[in-house]
């Protein structure tokens, strides 16, 4: 077994004494840093490499913390000014995961970079901490490498905001089989259009 295999085995046992101590100390350290900041290297090199990270020019790691819990509706004085069915303020749940929100925040902060992927690193009672792998699409090392030049195309701008990264794709309800009938044809909107519009093909 290589070194990365040992590291991944260590991270699998999060209730072990070693990792519990490490995570406790790490949470204390991360709590005192900025909400979004650049990391010099990945905290979990094995996980980062599995998700596409390479220790070379053009790849960047950002660390971000997201407040845990549900979503409160952002209205003044708790007044939604609408029908009673839409008057909920407190017991709402977010449609996107904390990880997808973390990717979005880093993507907005670093507008020139492309979000490749992300992974969990720690959490405490108040926050969840993630590391985001970003790629510089203008760097020659990225543009000249056939394995990574796909992300330099303009169609991949802000893919984290359009549900194209692994974390943000999970909330789109995509999949195969009878459990995913509501997203046939690519999305909920595509499925709705297919059922609600009639195409009258011209008789030839």
């Amino acid at each position: 077994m290589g070194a990365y295999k040992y590291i991944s085995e260590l991270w699998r046992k999060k209730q072990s004494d070693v990792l519990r101590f490490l995570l406790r100390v790490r949470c204390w350290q991360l709590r005192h840093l900025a909400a979004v900041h650049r990391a010099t290297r990945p905290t979990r090199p094995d996980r980062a490499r599995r998700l596409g990270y390479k220790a070379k020019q053009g790849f960047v790691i950002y660390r971000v913390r997201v407040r845990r819990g549900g979503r409160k509706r952002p209205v003044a004085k708790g007044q939604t000014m609408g029908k009673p069915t839409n008057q909920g303020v407190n017991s709402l749940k977010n449609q996107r995961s904390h990880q997808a929100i973390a990717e979005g925040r880093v993507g907005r902060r670093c507008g020139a970079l492309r979000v490749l992927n992300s992974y969990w690193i720690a959490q405490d009672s108040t926050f969840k901490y993630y590391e985001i792998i970003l790629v510089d699409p203008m760097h020659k090392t990225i543009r000249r490498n056939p394995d990574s030049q796909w992300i330099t195309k303009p169609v991949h701008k802000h893919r984290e905001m359009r549900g194209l990264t692994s974390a943000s794709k999970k909330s789109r309800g995509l999949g195969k089989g009878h459990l995913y009938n509501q997203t046939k044809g690519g999305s909920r909107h595509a499925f709705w259009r297919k059922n609600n519009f009639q195409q009258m093909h011209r008789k030839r």
Side-chain angles (χ1 to χ4, degrees):
M1 288 200 310
Y4 289 121
K5 188 71 176 169
Y6 280 109
I7 296 171
S8 62
E9 283 297 320
L10 193 68
W11 272 94
R12 283 210 181 95
K13 309 284 192 297
K14 292 185 177 63
Q15 289 289 318
S16 65
D17 292 345
V18 176
L19 218 59
R20 280 176 68 181
F21 174 73
L22 258 178
L23 290 172
R24 197 167 80 230
V25 174
R26 199 163 276 150
C27 279
W28 173 85
Q29 181 198 9
L30 296 174
R31 237 191 334 263
H32 293 84
L33 298 172
V36 178
H37 62 274
R38 185 175 173 179
T40 52
R41 60 176 63 86
T43 306
R44 301 174 62 181
D46 60 314
R47 187 88 179 104
R49 282 177 61 82
R50 280 208 302 277
L51 295 175
Y53 173 80
K54 300 282 185 205
K56 63 183 189 181
Q57 293 176 326
F59 283 88
V60 187
I61 296 283
Y62 263 78
R63 217 177 275 134
V64 58
R65 74 165 182 250
V66 181
R67 192 170 284 272
R68 292 177 66 176
R71 180 182 185 272
K72 189 173 181 180
R73 197 190 298 275
V75 288
K77 300 180 184 176
Q79 298 168 343
T80 54
M81 308 293 188
K83 300 282 193 296
T85 188
N86 297 321
Q87 277 176 351
V89 173
N90 282 322
S91 295
L92 307 177
K93 310 296 179 284
N94 226 321
Q95 293 298 304
R96 300 166 73 219
S97 66
H98 286 121
Q99 190 171 345
I101 291 166
E103 287 180 353
R105 286 182 186 172
V106 176
R108 278 197 298 273
R109 170 72 65 89
C110 311
L113 303 179
R114 306 274 161 85
V115 174
L116 178 63
N117 228 318
S118 62
Y119 53 92
W120 177 95
I121 49 167
Q123 70 185 49
D124 54 24
S125 60
T126 314
F127 299 107
K128 283 192 177 187
Y129 303 92
Y130 296 97
E131 279 184 357
I132 319 294
I133 306 165
L134 298 123
V135 180
D136 183 1
M138 293 300 156
H139 203 287
K140 288 285 184 270
T141 311
I142 304 298
R143 295 183 81 86
R144 288 171 182 165
N145 185 4
D147 293 331
S148 60
Q149 63 187 190
W150 61 270
I151 206 165
T152 63
K153 294 185 172 69
V155 74
H156 293 295
K157 289 178 183 177
H158 289 289
R159 52 200 294 272
E160 74 284 350
M161 303 305 289
R162 295 181 291 125
L164 300 178
T165 59
S166 181
S168 55
K169 196 183 275 190
K170 285 175 182 171
S171 60
R172 286 171 55 192
L174 301 177
K176 291 189 174 182
H178 71 282
L179 296 173
Y180 301 96
N181 283 338
Q182 74 275 19
T183 51
K184 274 181 184 174
S187 66
R188 289 174 195 275
H189 183 63
F191 183 62
W192 177 84
R193 275 188 64 89
K194 182 175 174 293
N195 287 335
N196 288 275
F197 285 81
Q198 189 172 14
Q199 280 190 322
M200 307 294 284
H201 294 291
R202 188 161 60 101
K203 188 178 177 184
R204 299 188 185 280

